[in-house]
Amino acid sequence: MNDLNATRNIGISAHIDSGKTTLTERILYYTGVIHKMEEVRGGGSGATMDFMDLEKEKGITITSAATSVYWDKYKINIIDTPGHVDFTVEVERALRVLDGAVMILCAVAGVQSQSITVDRQMKRYRVPRLVFINKMDRTGADPFKAISDLKEKLGHNAIAMQIPIGKEDGFEGVIDLIKMKALYNEGKKGESIFEKEIPEELLETANEKRAEMLECVSMYNDQLMEDLLEEKEISEELVYKAVLDGVNSMELTPVYMGSAFKNKAIQPLLDAICRYLPSPISATPMSARDVNDESRTMQLEPDKDKPLVCMAFKITDEQFGQLTHIRIYQGTIRKGMNIYNSRTGKKIRVGRLVRMHSDKRENIEEASAGDIIAMIGVDCASGDTFCSDEARVTLESMYVAQPVISLAVTTKDTSSIDRMSKALSRFMKEDPTFRVESDPESGETIISGMGELHLEIYIERMLREYNVPIEVGAPQVNYREAISRVAPFDHTHKKQTGGSGQYACVQGNIEPLNYDDPDAENFEFLNLVKGGNIPSEYISACEAGFKDVMDKGPLAGFPMVGIKVNLEDGKYHEVDSSDMAFRICSRQAMKQAIQKAGSQLLEPVMKVEVETPSEYQGAIIGDLSSRRGVIGKTDVRDNITVITVTVPLSEMFGYSTTMRSLTQGKATFSMEFDSYTVCPKHIQDEVIEARKEKLKEES
């Protein structure tokens, strides 16, 4: 089946423990890909998409996994992504290459902290989405509260396309508000779905909710609006078209509901995916930049006969070579053909091509525009663009968040050092948010990542997959340094030795930038030099010199953020000026300006969401306040309190143990990076002193 109009590339994303992997398992079962459903937790062989041993043991998704299914005449390529924010890069890279998404909300909790993160990621890549409210069978399930959350917390124009029949333990099915039919699942595993008349007691509610739905979707179709105003009979096809246009313009979010665990109302969601989410043809067109001239862009077309352009969005090192997941935007890739890596300029011969089904693979000879497949044995980095000789272009890569936590790792077993090095190189290549560096003062190996769980998983994998016993140092917070005010610089660099000397002069100022926004630039350079006082060929050397100083701040040697450099004037010498002279001069000028600009230490602050029985609310809030937490808001739902708070990362180490003891193990929490903020003076002094002590010990 090669009809691109009948292809859907979708992701399934949500807050942790909302039921993404369970939903995907049901989709695989109902589309006939698997013949036995497993659960995420429950002692069986584990859900199909959670194929790593660690995923099965911990009951969480760690890496995104791809598969393909067929529903009716449609082919759906699905990527199941992790919910835990420590593995956020897996969601980023999936959404970067997908045409549509299903966002899952828990019917009890509604919009949670990581739902907000996922929504932000979907908006970043302009991915149209449907919402599925899962866990309708749970006590306290309230789909209309979740829809209200979507409107208020995420700003969605969300509208229910269904209403539930029964609730909590009595949840039996849903009413389709377009067809005005009751839908029930029957059979041992809910494999059959039947349309019946709407129960008498729900008819009035269904009519009310249908009127609301029609009023909302009529905004996207003039004919539908006219028919509503004239009270004509409403055509189902007209409603479908209006919803399709609303979803694809990203102005409408249709909401579906069901229970993946209880096998209810999954098939109507599959119908909606096929009906409303875009195909590669109707999706927002992707543009690429010319490798030789970045100002030139070309719009890619999902045409199998055009020159090939595809993107490597996820890589995994394996025993028999690297597995590279690619999304094909244009053209056809064939086994044995030669392609070019736009970043390296190297020609590569395509070996094996495979279609993925979780960790299993099926050999294929070729794949065309709109498809998501994998290549085996091709060496590249995540985010690389591959193209044929006729189209030398590059695609914009995905957004990669900066790590916020570090650990020192060593192994006393000298025979394991090579294996540890191999493991760290592999993990860094596979995961752009995982960083490895050697501390120049101590010689220690420092690993950095998005959170404690992120690093814990990699340490566990080193032991299991590479047999490396790791010793771990105390967690280190990745502090940053910034300036607090505008400061001028005016520096002349002169050096006269035998032969030609060095001469450069730079003048201007530095000013603080906003460092609160995690997406903001850390360094900006503005060239305001007029009249050729610094020749244009030396400007890039000046920028490089200013940037060099950002690596180490004056307070404690942490990287600097949030500085804008305005280069206003300067002088040069016909003979003695050079790139090197201007780079050295800019470096010294930057150091001079930073000394005047009032340096301050910044600490990473985390957004924490704790879900606890209400009886422990006071103890939890008291503990978080003692950790310098700023309480945002508290929501109470059926004796469960959800507390949102921002807390410095340095205060959150070991929090899970404290939280469990305060609540007898009944509370859960999630944590994600929020922003950098200025350290209180006493904390700043402690950090600087500790840093000095460490350097003294190492020397």
Side-chain angles (χ1 to χ4, degrees):
M1 188 187 303
N2 290 320
D3 181 7
L4 272 187
N5 281 308
T7 297
R8 299 290 180 270
N9 293 314
I10 68 156
I12 296 182
S13 305
H15 182 91
I16 191 167
D17 210 22
S18 296
K20 296 174 299 301
T21 305
T22 305
L23 174 66
T24 311
E25 190 79 357
R26 270 52 183 175
I27 289 173
L28 293 174
Y29 182 77
Y30 295 138
T31 54
V33 173
I34 59 173
H35 304 292
K36 182 188 177 196
M37 285 191 277
E38 296 285 358
E39 302 307 334
V40 174
R41 301 179 179 89
S45 60
T48 308
M49 303 302 271
D50 285 351
F51 55 85
M52 287 171 64
D53 288 341
L54 270 170
E55 291 180 312
K56 290 171 184 171
E57 284 172 27
K58 291 182 179 286
I60 60 169
T61 302
I62 293 168
T63 64
S64 55
T67 190
S68 299
V69 302
Y70 290 91
W71 182 248
D72 192 13
K73 62 177 184 179
Y74 293 91
K75 173 188 174 186
I76 310 172
N77 294 318
I78 301 173
I79 299 182
D80 173 32
T81 61
H84 203 291
V85 77
D86 282 18
F87 311 108
T88 188
V89 73
E90 295 288 339
V91 186
E92 286 284 349
R93 56 171 145 222
L95 292 175
R96 171 63 183 80
V97 298
L98 293 169
D99 302 325
V102 176
M103 182 188 211
I104 304 180
L105 298 181
C106 169
V108 180
V111 169
Q112 295 166 277
S113 62
Q114 281 151 30
S115 318
I116 297 169
T117 305
V118 165
D119 182 64
R120 190 169 66 234
Q121 290 168 320
M122 289 178 181
K123 284 173 180 164
R124 181 181 290 139
Y125 300 114
R126 291 200 54 76
V127 178
R129 83 294 304 258
L130 309 175
V131 168
F132 181 69
I133 298 175
N134 193 23
K135 304 193 176 186
M136 287 293 298
D137 57 301
R138 274 186 55 188
T139 305
D142 184 351
F144 300 109
K145 170 70 173 68
I147 292 169
S148 169
D149 278 0
L150 277 168
K151 292 175 179 175
E152 290 166 21
K153 294 183 181 177
L154 301 183
H156 280 241
N157 183 17
I159 190 71
M161 307 305 288
Q162 301 169 332
I163 61 168
I165 302 171
K167 62 176 186 176
E168 301 175 350
D169 282 351
F171 176 64
E172 294 177 29
V174 293
I175 292 169
D176 182 326
L177 296 177
I178 297 179
K179 292 182 176 178
M180 285 301 277
K181 293 285 182 186
L183 306 178
Y184 296 92
N185 283 81
E186 294 181 8
K188 199 174 176 186
K189 299 282 187 184
E191 56 272 20
S192 305
I193 193 151
F194 289 94
E195 285 185 8
K196 297 184 181 177
E197 292 306 312
I198 296 171
E200 192 67 37
E201 67 276 13
L202 289 174
L203 200 52
E204 190 181 335
T205 307
N207 281 320
E208 278 174 25
K209 292 294 181 185
R210 173 179 162 86
E212 268 179 47
M213 181 270 294
L214 289 174
E215 187 182 339
C216 180
V217 303
S218 67
M219 302 297 293
Y220 307 99
N221 188 285
D222 292 342
Q223 184 61 55
L224 178 58
M225 187 176 279
E226 211 174 284
D227 290 355
L228 268 178
L229 291 170
E230 292 175 10
E231 297 185 358
K232 289 184 181 175
E233 192 173 329
I234 303 298
S235 140
E236 282 181 22
E237 289 308 315
L238 211 51
V239 181
Y240 293 146
K241 187 176 185 318
V243 177
L244 174 68
D245 291 344
V247 169
N248 284 272
S249 65
M250 290 194 66
E251 291 174 13
L252 179 70
T253 307
V255 179
Y256 295 81
M257 50 197 73
S259 167
F261 186 64
K262 292 290 175 71
N263 311 319
K264 292 192 189 301
I266 308 304
Q267 293 93 332
L269 175 67
L270 277 166
D271 291 337
I273 288 168
C274 299
R275 186 173 278 135
Y276 303 128
L277 290 181
S279 70
I281 291 173
S282 58
T284 306
M286 186 63 60
S287 59
R289 290 194 309 275
D290 191 304
V291 170
N292 302 314
D293 179 3
E294 293 210 350
S295 63
R296 283 181 57 201
T297 60
M298 65 176 274
Q299 196 162 295
L300 303 179
E301 296 175 40
D303 182 338
K304 66 183 178 67
D305 298 321
K306 294 256 182 189
L308 173 73
V309 180
C310 60
M311 182 185 200
F313 67 92
K314 175 180 165 69
I315 60 177
T316 314
D317 259 350
E318 298 192 330
Q319 189 181 354
F320 302 110
Q322 184 174 298
L323 181 72
T324 305
H325 294 253
I326 60 171
R327 161 73 196 260
I328 307 165
Y329 287 101
Q330 182 176 281
T332 300
I333 189 167
R334 294 181 182 84
K335 190 175 164 182
M337 78 183 283
N338 290 320
I339 57 175
Y340 287 87
N341 183 324
S342 296
R343 180 179 59 86
T344 63
K346 289 182 179 172
K347 185 192 273 191
I348 293 159
R349 189 173 181 278
V350 178
R352 276 178 70 194
L353 294 175
V354 293
R355 187 171 301 290
M356 298 301 297
H357 172 54
S358 188
D359 60 334
K360 298 179 177 62
R361 54 204 68 174
E362 163 203 344
N363 286 318
I364 56 175
E365 292 299 311
E366 63 174 49
S368 302
D371 215 343
I372 293 175
I373 60 155
M375 305 185 286
I376 294 178
V378 170
D379 188 36
C380 68
S382 185
D384 281 358
T385 302
F386 290 102
C387 50
S388 57
D389 204 15
E390 305 86 42
R392 294 298 187 90
V393 295
T394 182
L395 291 158
E396 187 182 336
S397 194
M398 71 281 292
Y399 168 81
V400 177
Q402 293 300 310
V404 294
I405 181 173
S406 300
L407 291 174
V409 293
T410 54
T411 177
K412 283 193 173 168
D413 178 4
T414 50
S415 64
S416 301
I417 291 171
D418 279 352
R419 294 201 301 279
M420 181 174 98
S421 174
K422 200 178 284 184
L424 291 174
S425 297
R426 172 192 167 183
F427 298 152
M428 194 163 49
K429 192 176 184 185
E430 291 179 358
D431 181 352
T433 60
F434 179 74
R435 310 280 169 85
V436 181
E437 60 189 356
S438 180
D439 188 320
E441 282 96 11
S442 66
E444 289 177 319
T445 300
I446 309 291
I447 60 173
S448 305
M450 302 306 297
E452 284 182 280
L453 179 64
H454 191 203
L455 299 183
E456 185 189 306
I457 292 292
Y458 281 121
I459 289 162
E460 184 74 19
R461 285 183 66 187
M462 275 193 271
L463 181 61
R464 290 183 182 213
E465 296 172 30
Y466 290 87
N467 193 25
V468 179
I470 291 289
E471 291 191 1
V472 180
Q476 301 164 24
V477 177
N478 288 356
Y479 291 97
R480 295 285 183 265
E481 295 184 30
I483 57 173
S484 57
R485 56 182 177 266
V486 176
F489 58 82
D490 181 349
H491 187 76
T492 302
H493 171 66
K494 280 185 196 172
K495 193 174 181 186
Q496 199 63 50
T497 52
S500 61
Q502 290 183 3
Y503 180 87
C505 172
V506 293
Q507 296 166 0
N509 64 48
I510 60 173
E511 60 179 282
L513 286 172
N514 173 26
Y515 46 75
D516 289 346
D517 180 0
D519 293 348
E521 291 294 323
N522 280 332
F523 174 82
E524 281 183 22
F525 174 76
L526 186 59
N527 174 24
L528 300 169
V529 178
K530 292 187 173 66
N533 288 356
I534 299 176
S536 57
E537 64 263 31
Y538 298 139
I539 297 296
S540 59
C542 292
E543 183 178 358
F546 291 123
K547 210 169 184 177
D548 286 345
V549 182
M550 299 287 290
D551 290 342
K552 259 188 179 175
L555 291 175
F558 291 107
M560 299 205 73
V561 295
I563 298 182
K564 181 180 182 184
V565 177
N566 300 302
L567 180 61
E568 294 169 347
D569 206 353
K571 294 173 191 163
Y572 76 104
H573 187 279
E574 289 286 358
V575 177
D576 291 349
S577 288
S578 64
D579 274 356
M580 182 53 74
F582 271 100
R583 187 162 184 167
I584 292 168
C585 183
S586 300
R587 216 178 279 163
Q588 291 163 345
M590 184 77 156
K591 285 178 182 173
Q592 175 196 96
I594 287 169
Q595 291 298 335
K596 299 175 192 167
S599 291
Q600 52 193 3
L601 200 66
L602 307 178
E603 60 182 349
V605 170
M606 311 303 281
K607 182 178 172 190
V608 180
E609 189 175 273
V610 182
E611 205 169 297
T612 176
S614 296
E615 63 199 274
Y616 304 113
Q617 177 185 343
I620 289 288
I621 287 177
D623 178 64
L624 288 169
S625 298
S626 73
R627 295 170 185 267
R628 296 194 285 133
V630 177
I631 308 298
K633 59 177 177 176
T634 55
D635 287 336
V636 181
R637 299 176 193 143
D638 296 326
N639 203 35
I640 294 290
T641 301
V642 180
I643 304 159
T644 306
V645 57
T646 51
V647 193
L649 174 63
S650 59
E651 305 285 350
M652 286 301 290
F653 296 128
Y655 177 68
S656 54
T657 308
T658 306
M659 182 195 66
R660 279 197 290 269
S661 66
L662 286 174
T663 63
Q664 299 177 13
K666 293 175 185 173
T668 59
F669 85 105
S670 63
M671 180 169 78
E672 65 178 304
F673 173 69
D674 185 66
S675 62
Y676 274 99
T677 60
V678 178
C679 270
K681 181 75 171 69
H682 70 283
I683 300 287
Q684 179 169 306
D685 293 343
E686 282 173 23
V687 172
I688 293 170
E689 192 54 42
R691 189 82 161 168
K692 280 181 188 165
E693 285 297 318
K694 187 180 177 214
L695 294 177
K696 205 183 288 177
E697 283 167 23
E698 286 158 3
S699 60

